[in-house]
Amino acid sequence: MKQWLKNMRKGYGKKLVSIHAWNAWIVVILAISGLMLVGGFWREILGIGRVWLKWLHIIVGLAMLAPVLYYLILAGKHWKQLRNRPWQKVNTIIVLALLVGWLLSGIVLWQFKLAGPRWSNAALLIHDLLTWVGLPYIIYHSITRTKWLKNPARRAVKTTSPSLQTQNAAETNATADEKGTLAAASSSEAYSSKEDPINQAERPQPVYTRRAFIRSAVGVGLAVTLGPTFISWVGRNLKIDNSIDSMLENDPNRMVPLPQPLSASSPPIGGGAEGHFRVYTVTPIPSFSNANWSFRIDGLVERAQVWNWEQFVKLARTVQVSDFHCVTGWSVYKNTWEGISLAQLLKQAGVKSEAHSVKFYSGDGVYTDAITMDQAQMEDIMVAVMHDGKPIPADLGGPVRLVIPQMYAYKSVKWLNRIELIDSEHIGYWEERGYDKDAWLTGASQRIPNNLSGS
C-alpha cells in the first residue's frame, strides 16, 4: 500500500494540474446545467430534454467524487509543501469543503424520496448557498491555480533556508522523485538569477499587469452573470419582498369580489405556512379577470357544470391543513387551504360509469394532468381558492388551483379552470417528459385509494 501511494504521488505537481483542469470542467458543466434546470425559460424550451439534462447534472455531480479522492491521495505531499503558506492552506480547505458540500447535498437531493422532505429542504438550501457563494470562487480558483501550477518552481518543495548548504543537505536526504523536483526548483531559481540579479520579491511590478486584468475580467464576468440570480436567491430565502402579501400586492389577477375566508382560515388553523414557495411555470404566468375567467366540469358527467367567478366564490368551501412537496426537493409545511372538495364537485356533476380518469386543465392553455377515478375519491384533494386565509396570487397558481397533498406538486395543477372526465388514462405535461405518472409521496397514507383514513 505504501509503495502504491508512493508511485501515485510521483510527479504530483502535474497531477495537481490535471485535477484542477478536470475539476474546472466539472464545475462549469454543473453550473450551466444547474442554472438551466432552475431557469423558467429553459423549462419550456428543453421539454423532455430537461429530464436528460437532470441526469447529466446528477452523473457529472457524482463524478466530482473522483478528483476529490484523487487529491486526497496526493494531499499528504501537497500539505507538506504548504506548511509555510497558511493562506494557501485555507484556500485548499475552502475548495474541498465546497466540493464535498456540493456532493453530499446533491446526493440528498438526488435521493430526496429516501431522505424525506425536511432533509431535502435543508440540502436544497445548502446546495443553493454553496452554488451562489462558492461557484464564482471555485471557478476563479481553478483558472488562476492552473496557471500558477504550470510554473515548475511553484510545484517544487522549497527549503526554508536559501543557502546552498541547506539545499544540498535537503537533496542528500530526498528521494529520487523529490531530488528531481528540487533540481527543477534550483534550475528555475538559477535561471531567474542569471536573467535578473535583482531579487524577484524586490523587482518593480507594473501597476496593472496583464494577468491582473484577466483575473479582474473573470471576476467581473462572474459577477455580471451570476449576480442577479444570486440576489434573487437571497430575496427568496431571506424573505426580501417574497411574502404572499407582496405577491398579492403585485397580483395581475383582477377578480371581484375577493373570496372571504372562513373562520378556520382567518387566522389559519395551520398557524401559517412554514417554508418558501418556488415559482416554476412552463409558460408566462397568466392573468385573469371576471371577463375572461370561468370554471367548468364536463366530459363523462350527467350534468355539465359551468360557473363564472361570482358564482364560483359562493360555493360551499371547507378548510384543511397539509404539506406541499415539490419533486425538485423543496417543501412548504402547514399550509391552510380553503376550497371545494374534488369529490364533492364530481358528485354534484354526476359521474358516468364509463369514466376512467379525471383530467385537469390549466388556464395557461398548455399544462394538463390527470388522476384515476379511484384516486379522485381521496378526501383531501381540493380545488383551492384561498391559502392561509388570503386569495391565491397568480404566482402560486391563483385564482384557483388544484391541491393533491399526497402527491408531488406537479400533479396540483395551477390556474385550474376545467375538469374533464374521460374514458382512458391521460399522460400529463411532465409525465410526457419523464416524470412518474403516479406521483405518490413516500408514506402517503392513501396510496391505496380505498384507504380513506386521512393523512
Side-chain angles (χ1 to χ4, degrees):
M1 183 67 177
K2 289 182 178 180
Q3 184 61 39
W4 179 80
L5 288 174
K6 184 177 179 180
N7 292 336
M8 284 290 293
R9 289 168 179 164
K10 284 184 179 179
Y12 87 106
K14 292 183 179 179
K15 291 176 180 177
L16 286 180
V17 173
S18 298
I19 289 174
H20 275 81
W22 278 105
N23 195 58
W25 279 111
I26 288 174
V27 171
V28 166
I29 293 171
L30 290 176
I32 294 173
S33 59
L35 291 172
M36 290 175 71
L37 284 171
V38 301
F41 170 79
W42 291 105
R43 290 172 68 85
E44 178 65 17
I45 294 296
L46 290 171
I48 195 169
R50 187 177 182 274
V51 176
W52 297 108
L53 185 65
K54 178 181 178 181
W55 276 108
L56 173 67
H57 191 80
I58 292 171
I59 292 169
V60 174
L62 293 173
M64 186 184 290
L65 184 63
V68 171
L69 293 178
Y70 197 10
Y71 172 77
L72 292 177
I73 294 173
L74 307 176
K77 195 168 185 178
H78 188 221
W79 211 246
K80 288 179 182 179
Q81 178 193 5
L82 301 180
R83 59 182 177 273
N84 294 320
R85 297 171 180 171
W87 286 111
Q88 291 181 31
K89 282 187 176 181
V90 170
N91 176 74
T92 302
I93 292 172
I94 290 173
V95 172
L96 281 174
L98 288 170
L99 295 177
V100 172
W102 268 323
L103 183 63
L104 294 179
S105 60
I107 290 174
V108 173
L109 292 175
W110 173 37
Q111 297 294 330
F112 64 93
K113 288 187 177 181
L114 296 178
R118 295 190 184 276
W119 279 98
S120 59
N121 256 15
L124 186 62
L125 182 63
I126 292 170
H127 207 72
D128 281 354
L129 179 63
L130 292 177
T131 297
W132 303 127
V133 173
L135 185 58
Y137 179 87
I138 204 166
I139 292 177
Y140 179 81
H141 166 81
S142 294
I143 293 171
T144 55
R145 288 299 93 184
T146 300
K147 293 180 177 179
W148 186 85
L149 283 166
K150 286 180 179 178
N151 185 341
R154 284 176 169 152
R155 294 201 303 269
V157 180
K158 296 182 178 180
T159 59
T160 56
S161 172
S163 68
L164 182 61
Q165 181 179 359
T166 307
Q167 182 177 323
N168 289 339
E171 289 179 349
T172 302
N173 295 323
T175 64
D177 185 50
E178 289 167 340
K179 285 179 181 179
T181 309
L182 287 165
S186 177
S187 173
S188 176
E189 289 165 0
Y191 177 80
S192 177
S193 176
K194 289 177 183 178
E195 182 183 9
D196 190 348
I198 302 175
N199 186 281
Q200 181 71 18
E202 298 174 357
R203 181 183 298 171
Q205 297 292 324
V207 175
Y208 204 64
T209 64
R210 178 176 175 274
R211 176 172 293 183
F213 173 79
I214 293 173
R215 291 178 178 178
S216 298
V218 171
V220 171
L222 289 170
V224 171
T225 304
L226 300 177
T229 313
F230 172 64
I231 292 172
S232 174
W233 178 84
V234 171
R236 288 197 309 269
N237 288 279
L238 298 184
K239 296 185 179 180
I240 299 175
D241 197 34
N242 187 46
S243 65
I244 302 297
D245 289 334
S246 175
M247 291 183 185
L248 287 170
E249 287 177 7
N250 301 296
D251 191 11
N253 288 334
R254 296 291 180 266
M255 314 299 294
V256 289
L258 293 178
Q260 297 302 307
L262 299 174
S263 59
S265 289
S266 184
I269 57 175
E274 299 177 1
H276 306 292
F277 288 94
R278 298 193 173 205
V279 179
Y280 296 151
T281 173
V282 299
T283 67
I285 294 175
S287 61
F288 303 94
S289 67
N290 292 51
N292 68 355
W293 189 92
S294 65
F295 194 97
R296 68 178 57 237
I297 300 178
D298 56 19
L300 298 175
V301 296
E302 300 290 346
R303 299 169 293 279
Q305 308 282 307
V306 181
W307 297 271
N308 61 26
W309 177 252
E310 294 90 340
Q311 294 167 335
F312 194 79
V313 293
K314 292 178 181 178
L315 295 177
R317 301 194 296 267
T318 59
V319 178
Q320 69 179 34
V321 178
S322 60
D323 298 335
F324 187 92
H325 303 296
C326 180
V327 73
T328 58
W330 56 268
S331 303
V332 180
Y333 301 93
K334 299 180 179 179
N335 300 279
T336 299
W337 299 105
E338 182 177 319
I340 306 100
S341 162
L342 174 63
Q344 180 60 37
L345 286 173
L346 296 180
K347 182 179 179 181
Q348 183 173 336
V351 179
K352 292 185 177 181
S353 59
E354 59 266 35
H356 176 276
S357 298
V358 182
K359 183 179 178 181
F360 305 101
Y361 292 81
S362 170
D364 64 7
V366 173
Y367 198 95
T368 61
D369 213 309
I371 56 177
T372 67
M373 285 302 305
D374 286 338
Q375 293 167 348
Q377 301 309 309
M378 292 190 293
E379 295 173 337
D380 56 359
I381 301 179
M382 176 179 283
V383 176
V385 298
M386 305 197 79
H387 174 263
D388 279 356
K390 300 172 184 177
I392 303 173
D395 284 0
L396 301 187
V400 174
R401 72 164 300 152
L402 186 65
V403 176
I404 306 181
Q406 298 191 66
M407 293 182 176
Y408 284 104
Y410 65 86
K411 302 293 284 191
S412 297
V413 176
K414 292 187 288 188
W415 312 302
L416 183 67
N417 65 2
R418 182 188 176 195
I419 299 173
E420 180 188 17
L421 274 66
I422 58 178
D423 60 2
S424 60
E425 68 176 14
H426 169 72
I427 305 302
Y429 181 91
W430 281 119
E431 286 125 28
E432 288 181 342
R433 291 156 175 82
Y435 282 36
D436 290 339
K437 184 177 66 174
D438 291 324
W440 294 110
L441 293 166
T442 302
S445 65
Q446 294 182 1
R447 180 184 293 268
I448 301 173
N450 292 327
N451 175 15
L452 300 180
S453 60
S455 58

